Amino acid sequence: WGVTNGYGLGIIPANLTNVVALAAGNSHSGALKADGRVVVWGDNLSGQTNTPASATNVMAIAAAWNHTVALRSNGTVVAWGTSGTNVPSGLTNVAAVAAGDSFSLALKTDGTVVAWGDNSSPTNVPAGLSNVARSGAPVELHEFGDVGEAVAFVGEALRGLMGREPTASVAV
């Protein structure tokens, strides 16, 4: 399971349970827990493991060279570390996030792509790039009152999917 090195990558945090997603940066790793909290460990030279208080109700994470990005259930984005963390003001209705070495990307529910980062990486979205969609079901954002409500929703959605596509692969 990796090498225990000066970055602490081989040392998995003791409180790491109920994990629903993982992300790997250059020398740090992140886990999204079922309750919407993010745990990040490893090298912290650029602050990429200092999860901000605003990273709550998270539904997806991404990591890159020296930063971590989180998509909140209300469709907003939080990023921390360096490079790719200057989230554009007013960025909402996000359905998915991705992280590159010094930049980040957001796919909005209307199919548009937003890119940001430092000037060493290209962050210009090609002209005409629109109507981009995630593979699978149409994107729909939900905000849940509690974890039980979220688990019930996901369970019902998975039952429906398996009824329609019994051999489907599911990544949550």
Side-chain angles (χ1 to χ4, degrees):
W1 178 264
V3 176
T4 300
N5 58 25
Y7 299 131
L9 291 176
I11 304 169
I12 308 302
N15 65 341
L16 197 56
T17 59
N18 300 315
V19 173
V20 296
L22 296 168
N26 182 57
S27 56
H28 72 288
S29 300
L32 173 59
K33 298 179 72 164
D35 63 3
R37 290 184 296 142
V38 177
V39 178
V40 185
W41 67 97
D43 179 28
N44 194 37
L45 182 63
S46 300
Q48 64 267 42
T49 66
N50 295 336
T51 307
S54 60
T56 58
N57 300 312
V58 173
M59 57 186 262
I61 57 173
W65 182 261
N66 58 7
H67 72 286
T68 308
V69 182
L71 170 59
R72 300 183 65 216
S73 62
N74 65 0
T76 61
V77 175
V78 179
W80 58 99
T82 60
S83 303
T85 59
N86 53 337
V87 179
S89 64
L91 180 61
T92 60
N93 300 315
V94 175
V97 292
D101 281 356
S102 299
F103 64 96
S104 297
L105 300 169
L107 172 61
K108 297 182 65 168
T109 56
D110 66 2
T112 58
V113 176
V114 178
W116 66 94
D118 71 20
N119 290 331
S120 68
S121 296
T123 56
N124 296 327
V125 176
L129 181 62
S130 61
N131 296 318
V132 177
R134 294 176 41 190
S135 61
V139 174
E140 185 174 341
L141 296 178
H142 294 274
E143 190 159 351
F144 302 103
D146 59 31
V147 173
E149 186 181 332
V151 169
F153 173 83
V154 170
E156 184 60 32
L158 291 175
R159 274 190 292 283
L161 173 65
M162 296 312 290
R164 291 186 310 277
E165 300 287 337
T167 60
S169 296
V170 177
V172 178

